[in-house]
């Protein structure tokens, strides 16, 4: 495993990390989740990603229980959580980044994780109805109270991130240091030109999500939705359009021989492609079974193989796709 700094920050994250969205609680119980976390940790993963909203808090409970049983030294790994959607249908507690919600929300997450602090706390989305200044002060307070060590953003516009950084600098507050954007061969917009100032000039880190586009980039959806796949998980039917989109499936067909020529599975190829972008700090992988973790960790063997010729072939394969 290699480790990369989260942008300019002192902390380092493993190039591949493991998250729990959809999987923990809905697809994997405590034992299966522990097995996957162990396989990742044994491969050198030091970052485990979570969120309040995942399985409505159950994902945090499983990860917390798993870490207790696994008994790893706290200094040897990082845990994140994220706040925004909330767990209660109440104007002050859902779809918000107000100070009250954030300060109470982190306490709820820590209770479920059974931890004293998380390493990274993300604002899971931006909240246009709360002044960014209020959110920046609240995140600073959470860090000052020792409940999180660093904070970041997820799916924020570049201009919003720059505003948060400017506010923090003006008041000498803890700045956000990392964005959590979607990033895979089919969805590349979060590293577009408007983000250059964020990643390059401000040394922002990035922990990227859905590197396999929810599994599409493994090739498993080429002949329909397998019964044992994410596409068939109850409550996630909204993913099915994207998993059956003819243009995206055609791109996957076109990528397959490029991966094969490299000696990689499509999953390994797609994960390794994310890591050839130097602005990516860590690629958060997802898995519903331990065999997938074993396969995905081997993606590291292919990162150096993205020559100019390979990149040209990928561009051609992506050709007809309108990237969102
Ligand atoms: N900040 C955000 O808004 C946000 C949003 C989404 C995710 N995330 C984070 O990013 C993490 C990763 O996202 P993701 O789970 O969507 O990643 P992904 O890599 O796009 O999809 C992972 C899913 O693909 C399938 N898969 C993975 N490896 C495979 C393999 N080798 N062979 C066959 N199938 C394989 C598994 O699903 P099945 O086996 O069930 O088909 C697995 O659960 C999440 O856990 C979460 O921590 C963050």
């Amino acid at each position: 495993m290699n480790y990369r700094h989260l942008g300019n920050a002192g902390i380092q994250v493993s190039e591949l990390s493991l998250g729990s969205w959809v999987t923990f609680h809905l697809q994997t119980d405590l034992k299966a989740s522990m097995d996957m976390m162990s396989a990742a940790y044994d491969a050198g993963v030091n970052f485990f990603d979570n969120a309040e909203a995942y399985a409505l808090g159950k994902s945090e409970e499983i990860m917390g229980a798993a870490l207790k049983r696994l008994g790893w030294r706290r200094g040897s790994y990082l845990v994140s959580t994220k706040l925004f959607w909330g767990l209660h249908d109440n104007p002050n507690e859902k779809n918000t980044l107000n100070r009250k919600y954030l300060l109470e929300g982190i306490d709820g997450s820590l209770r479920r994780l059974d931890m004293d602090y998380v390493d990274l706390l993300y604002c899971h989305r931006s909240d246009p109805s709360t002044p960014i200044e209020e959110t920046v002060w609240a995140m600073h307070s959470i860090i000052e109270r020792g409940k999180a060590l660093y904070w970041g953003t997820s799916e924020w516009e570049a201009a919003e991130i720059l505003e948060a950084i400017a506010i923090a600098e003006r008041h000498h507050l803890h700045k956000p240091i990392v964005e959590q954007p979607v990033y895979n061969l089919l969805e590349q917009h979060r590293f577009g030109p408007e983000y250059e100032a964020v990643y390059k000039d401000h040394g922002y880190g990035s922990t990227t999500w859905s590197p396999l586009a929810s599994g599409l980039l493994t090739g498993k959806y080429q002949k329909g939705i397998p019964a044992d796949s994410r596409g068939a998980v109850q409550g996630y039917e909204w993913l099915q359009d994207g998993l059956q989109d003819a243009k995206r499936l055609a791109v996957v067909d076109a990528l397959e021989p490029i991966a094969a020529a490299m000696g990689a599975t499509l999953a390994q190829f797609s994960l390794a492609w994310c890591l050839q972008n130097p602005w990516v700090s860590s690629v958060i992988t997802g898995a519903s079974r331990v065999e997938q973790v074993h396969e995905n960790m081997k993606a590291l063997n292919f990162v150096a193989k993205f020559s100019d010729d390979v990149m040209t072939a990928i561009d051609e394969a992506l050709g007809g796709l309108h990237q969102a």
Side-chain angles (χ1 to χ4, degrees):
M1 182 62 68
N2 301 310
Y3 300 85
R4 296 186 184 183
H5 279 271
L6 268 184
N8 281 348
I11 199 81
Q12 296 186 50
V13 280
S14 46
E15 287 184 337
L16 295 175
S17 43
L18 182 70
S20 59
W21 180 55
V22 188
T23 52
F24 282 31
H25 180 67
L26 283 173
Q27 292 179 287
T28 62
D29 59 11
L30 175 58
K31 163 84 172 64
S33 305
M34 279 171 63
D35 287 349
M36 296 198 306
M37 289 174 70
S38 277
Y41 188 78
D42 289 347
V45 164
N46 76 348
F47 168 38
F48 298 93
D49 185 62
N50 215 319
E52 175 197 63
Y54 296 171
L56 299 176
K58 295 279 185 221
S59 166
E60 290 178 325
E61 286 175 8
I62 289 185
M63 192 174 280
L67 288 166
K68 270 255 134 63
R69 293 207 192 176
L70 289 163
W72 302 329
R73 207 169 40 74
R74 184 66 182 88
S76 68
Y77 59 86
L78 312 174
V79 172
S80 71
T81 196
K82 314 185 200 80
L83 298 170
F84 172 72
W85 279 290
L87 298 176
H88 304 282
D89 195 7
N90 169 325
N92 286 323
E93 295 177 276
K94 76 171 185 191
N95 303 344
T96 182
L97 295 175
N98 74 62
R99 179 176 175 84
K100 175 175 166 64
Y101 163 70
L102 291 173
L103 286 163
E104 292 172 354
I106 184 61
D107 285 345
S109 287
L110 293 177
R111 207 164 38 243
R112 285 184 294 278
L113 286 162
D114 198 8
M115 301 181 106
D116 297 330
Y117 63 91
V118 288
D119 300 276
L120 306 173
L121 179 63
Y122 293 90
C123 295
H124 212 155
R125 290 291 180 273
S126 65
D127 168 15
S129 68
T130 296
I132 291 185
E133 184 152 355
E134 177 175 338
T135 298
V136 172
W137 275 100
M139 297 303 271
H140 173 80
S141 301
I142 287 170
I143 291 180
E144 286 292 288
R145 292 169 194 205
K147 297 178 182 187
L149 304 186
Y150 299 91
W151 77 278
T153 53
S154 179
E155 293 291 311
W156 282 33
E157 299 298 327
E160 295 170 324
I161 297 171
L162 294 175
E163 188 179 341
I165 292 172
I167 291 166
E169 284 179 344
R170 194 178 315 137
H171 299 288
H172 302 289
L173 307 176
H174 292 287
K175 287 192 258 194
I177 61 154
V178 59
E179 163 67 10
Q180 189 165 137
V182 66
Y183 187 57
N184 60 57
L185 277 155
L186 306 174
E187 293 157 293
Q188 303 182 23
H189 54 286
R190 291 291 179 198
F191 283 88
E194 74 272 28
Y195 281 89
E196 267 197 33
V198 175
Y199 295 116
K200 295 188 186 169
D201 301 349
H202 287 276
Y204 217 57
S206 72
T207 58
T208 60
W209 59 267
S210 284
L212 300 177
S214 273
L216 185 72
L217 285 163
T218 66
K220 73 201 296 178
Y221 291 99
Q222 297 311 96
K223 294 194 173 80
I225 296 183
D228 62 351
S229 69
R230 176 178 294 182
V233 173
Q234 213 180 346
Y236 288 84
E237 293 80 6
W238 56 272
L239 287 172
Q240 290 178 358
D241 284 350
L243 294 171
Q244 294 183 301
D245 180 83
K247 274 191 191 151
R248 287 155 63 98
L249 291 171
V251 169
V252 176
D253 268 339
L255 291 171
E256 208 281 326
I258 311 174
M262 207 182 258
T265 65
L266 253 177
Q268 292 165 339
F269 169 83
S270 303
L271 294 169
W273 174 86
C274 297
L275 282 170
Q276 54 73 39
N277 180 338
W279 305 110
V280 170
S281 314
S282 181
V283 172
I284 312 176
T285 65
S288 67
R289 55 208 79 164
V290 72
E291 295 76 20
Q292 294 174 353
V293 177
H294 290 306
E295 176 182 340
N296 295 348
M297 292 298 136
K298 295 197 190 103
L300 294 170
N301 299 336
F302 302 98
V303 180
K305 301 201 169 175
F306 286 79
S307 61
D308 291 347
D309 287 350
V310 171
M311 294 306 270
T312 303
I314 291 173
D315 281 347
E316 280 167 19
L318 293 177
L321 187 76
H322 294 295
Q323 286 172 11

